[in-house]
Amino acid sequence: MMCSANNLSRRGFLAGTGAMLLGNAFGMKVSNVEPIIDIHQHVHYAARPDDVLVAHQRAMGITHTILLPAGTPAFGTSTHQGKTNGLRAQCAGNDACYSIAQKYPGEFTFGSNEVPDLPDAVQEIEKYLKLGGKVIGELKFGMDCDSKEMQRIYQLAEAYDVPVLMHWQFQMFNYNFERFPKMLEKYPKVNFIGHAQTWWANIDKDHTDQSVLYPKTKVTPGGLTDRLLSDYPNMFGDMSAGSGLLSMTRDEEHAREFLVRHQDKLLYGSDCDDHIGSGAKCQGAQTIAEIRKLAASKAVERKILYDNAQKLFRI
């Protein structure tokens, strides 16, 4: 049973999810449910309690969630003197993500992350990769995308055969997006996943003002993001957050073609700090609905919501 988002208390929501939550709590499988992998979620996102996170994912119909940690709190240039610690959203670190994955095996797994310019960044990331981390990221730091510190992380990803998820935001996180093709060529064995405002704005060939992070105009195919997905086997797209949702709703005609064109490269993610799992405030649920609405076939829908992530992350 899906509860209304209006005036719903945390206690009321947890009670209202009823048998579905009870079954999940005891490890029971819900029959006739199509699996969905959410590749982009956070622990303590905007101070959301852990039990509400778990309930939120179940309410959305997510059967497997990858938790992306923040790095250690730091106060250098890469975290904008500490202003963007916690991925700028109060997100918790490696230990918290690992703990939830241990508590809910099979339902949650975890990534590994660290502030790239800290002296022991590689060692910290490697620690959690050895524990079973499925991805490095979300890399959301104020650094050049081709800096030596970032390249050490790409090299680690190659050694452990895990993807790297990157938050692209003009003049804020992962600078010089236009230079990233060189990294794709230098590290062809590393699978990179693009995410966030600058990544999705650049599906449009006519997107020239990079300071515009949420464009709402019609899309002309052939932007840098579109070309990276087409030209590089090791480039994938994370459809999470408001930017991923907007990439579809701003021009649904283009989105229908885009989903077909990149059906083997697109991955569903929520990146949603909502507490309910439905309704107008839950962008994760809205993104699922938009993919189902625009996918040209059931096969395309299933690739984006499950198959591509299952293959890429070996879940």
Side-chain angles (χ1 to χ4, degrees), residues 5-305:
N6 295 327
N7 301 317
L8 186 61
S9 69
R10 176 180 160 197
R11 177 176 294 179
F13 169 66
L14 294 175
T17 51
M20 180 181 70
L21 295 187
L22 183 62
N24 276 289
F26 287 95
M28 297 165 59
K29 298 296 184 181
V30 180
S31 61
N32 301 319
V33 173
E34 292 182 327
I36 300 175
I37 297 174
D38 182 349
I39 73 156
H40 193 137
Q41 190 52 274
H42 301 289
V43 177
H44 207 249
Y45 196 171
R48 177 174 55 194
D50 293 350
D51 60 341
V52 179
L53 162 64
V54 174
H56 173 271
Q57 295 303 100
R58 292 172 179 174
M60 285 201 306
I62 305 301
T63 52
H64 194 103
T65 300
I66 299 177
L67 299 170
L68 302 178
T72 301
F75 299 89
T77 57
S78 64
T79 62
H80 303 86
Q81 288 71 50
K83 295 178 182 178
T84 57
N85 279 329
L87 302 178
R88 208 185 190 184
Q90 298 177 268
C91 300
N94 290 311
D95 283 343
C97 295
Y98 177 72
S99 295
I100 289 184
Q102 294 300 106
K103 186 175 181 179
Y104 300 97
E107 191 174 355
F108 289 85
T109 50
F110 60 96
S112 181
N113 200 10
E114 185 54 293
V115 179
D117 55 350
L118 290 181
D120 60 348
V122 169
Q123 291 81 357
E124 174 69 7
I125 295 172
E126 187 172 25
K127 173 184 174 181
Y128 286 89
L129 294 180
K130 288 179 176 178
L131 290 171
K134 294 289 186 179
V135 58
I136 297 175
E138 156 188 18
L139 294 179
K140 187 178 179 180
F141 304 103
M143 302 193 67
D144 290 334
C145 69
D146 51 2
S147 66
K148 66 180 186 302
E149 293 88 354
M150 294 292 284
Q151 290 196 54
R152 283 199 290 262
I153 292 176
Y154 307 158
Q155 291 159 11
L156 185 65
E158 182 175 0
Y160 280 84
D161 191 20
V162 295
V164 175
L165 194 150
M166 303 182 69
H167 179 116
W168 295 99
Q169 186 173 341
F170 180 63
Q171 292 186 342
M172 180 60 72
F173 303 116
N174 289 315
Y175 307 142
N176 301 308
F177 181 46
E178 71 282 358
R179 299 205 309 238
F180 194 63
K182 294 295 184 182
M183 294 294 95
L184 289 166
E185 294 165 6
K186 186 173 181 177
Y187 300 100
K189 294 181 180 180
V190 178
N191 290 314
F192 292 92
I193 304 169
H195 157 70
Q197 298 96 324
T198 295
W199 169 262
W200 286 114
N202 280 284
I203 58 175
D204 184 3
K205 185 177 181 180
D206 295 333
H207 184 70
T208 55
D209 184 355
Q210 295 299 322
S211 68
V212 177
L213 298 179
Y214 294 97
K216 295 180 174 63
T217 55
K218 292 289 186 179
V219 177
T220 301
L224 178 55
T225 295
D226 198 1
R227 299 198 309 272
L228 293 182
L229 289 169
S230 293
D231 296 346
Y232 294 93
N234 57 331
M235 187 80 250
F236 295 81
D238 167 9
M239 302 192 72
S240 70
S243 56
L245 179 59
L246 180 61
S247 75
M248 295 183 284
T249 59
R250 65 183 283 198
D251 186 342
E252 290 191 339
E253 182 179 359
H254 169 269
R256 287 186 177 94
E257 298 175 355
F258 186 87
L259 295 186
V260 170
R261 184 158 66 252
H262 301 302
Q263 61 185 280
D264 297 319
K265 295 294 203 68
L266 299 175
L267 307 156
Y268 169 74
S270 63
D271 194 11
C272 182
D273 65 0
D274 169 68
H275 284 212
I276 305 302
S278 65
K281 293 183 179 180
C282 183
Q283 69 188 16
Q286 290 181 52
T287 301
I288 292 172
E290 194 71 10
I291 291 168
R292 286 175 168 159
K293 174 184 176 182
L294 298 177
S297 67
K298 190 67 175 179
V300 171
E301 174 199 307
R302 294 310 305 153
K303 284 182 179 181
I304 297 171
L305 293 180

